[in-house]
Amino acid sequence: MTSIFTVSIDSVEGSTLRGRVHIINPDVPSVPRKSVFPLSLLVDAWWHLDRGFLHDEDDEEEGGDRYPFTADQGNDITASMRLKDEFSKLYELILGKHIRVTEDGYLLADDGKTVLEPRRKAKDVYQLDSGRGHDGISHFVMTSGNAEEFSQGAADIVTRYDISPYRNVPLRSEVAALENPDEPWDPEEPWGPEEPDGPADLDDYTVWKLLRTCSFAELPYAEIAVTVSDAGYLEHMVAGMRWSTTMTGHVC
C-alpha cells in the first residue's frame, strides 16, 4: 500500500508523546484531527515492532525508517507489554481479523492445518470483507473492521490530542516562481497578486511540483502532542522512532 504519512517521535514522557507527522502524499495533504488518528498510529507502530519490520534504513534523504534498537529488541518490547492483548484487538478493529480457512472456506485452527469442529465456513460465522489470500501457512480471509468500536476506544484512550500549525509549507510566491519564472511575484505592481504572500495551499497539486524537489527534511509537517489515559499505551514508543504509515484513522 502507498504510504500516507511519515511519523517521527521526538519524546515520550509518562503518558504524553510528542512528535511530527510529515506530509508526503499529495492525495492526503492534511493531518487528521480526530483522536482515532493518533491511536491508529500507536497501533501501527506496535504492529511494525511486533512483526520486526521497524529498523534503520539508509535513505535519510528520503526519510527512511529509524529505530534506536534492533528489530529483535523491538519484538521483545511488544511481547512484554502490559497492554499487548489490547493492541491486538485494536488492530483488528482497524483492519479486521485474519481468519485461517481451507481452500473451500472452512475454518482452520491457528496451525493452519486442523479443520475446526463442527465444520463451518468462515462466511457463515463472520462478517467478511474482500480481503483474502495465502500467507505461506494457509488460505485466509479477513473480517471487516469496526469503526464505531474503534472510535469509542479512541475517545477512552486518547485524552488529549494537539496539532501545531503546519511547518515548512512553501510560500505562494515560491510556487508562482516555479509556474511562471518570467513573472516575478510583486504585490506592488498592478498585475501582481491580490493577496499578500503567505503559505501555499497544500491541496493545490501545483505546490507538489515544488515539493517533489525537496528533501525529506524540507517537506511540510505538523507537530503533534498526544496524551493517553494509561502510560502503558506508550510502552513501545521511544524518541528517535520514525516510520512511514498508511494509517489515517479510517477503519477498513
Side-chain angles (χ1 to χ4, degrees), residues 13-35:
E13 298 178 358
S15 58
T16 297
L17 170 151
R18 299 182 187 278
R20 288 159 288 154
V21 178
H22 308 266
I23 300 173
I24 61 172
N25 190 320
D27 292 329
V28 188
S30 60
V31 178
R33 294 186 172 275
K34 293 184 178 180
S35 60

Side-chain angles (χ1 to χ4, degrees), residues 1 6 11 31 38 80 86 120 129 160 167 185 224 242 244:
M1 296 178 67
T6 296
S11 69
V31 178
S80 63
E86 187 165 350
R120 295 176 296 172
D129 69 6
R160 182 165 182 170
R167 318 294 191 194
W185 176 284
I224 62 170
R242 185 173 73 202
S244 293

Side-chain angles (χ1 to χ4, degrees), residues 86-105:
E86 187 165 350
F87 271 91
S88 181
K89 294 175 183 176
L90 289 169
Y91 182 83
E92 291 176 359
L93 291 178
I94 299 172
L95 293 173
K97 187 175 182 178
H98 186 279
I99 307 293
R100 297 199 176 280
V101 294
T102 64
E103 187 174 2
D104 49 359

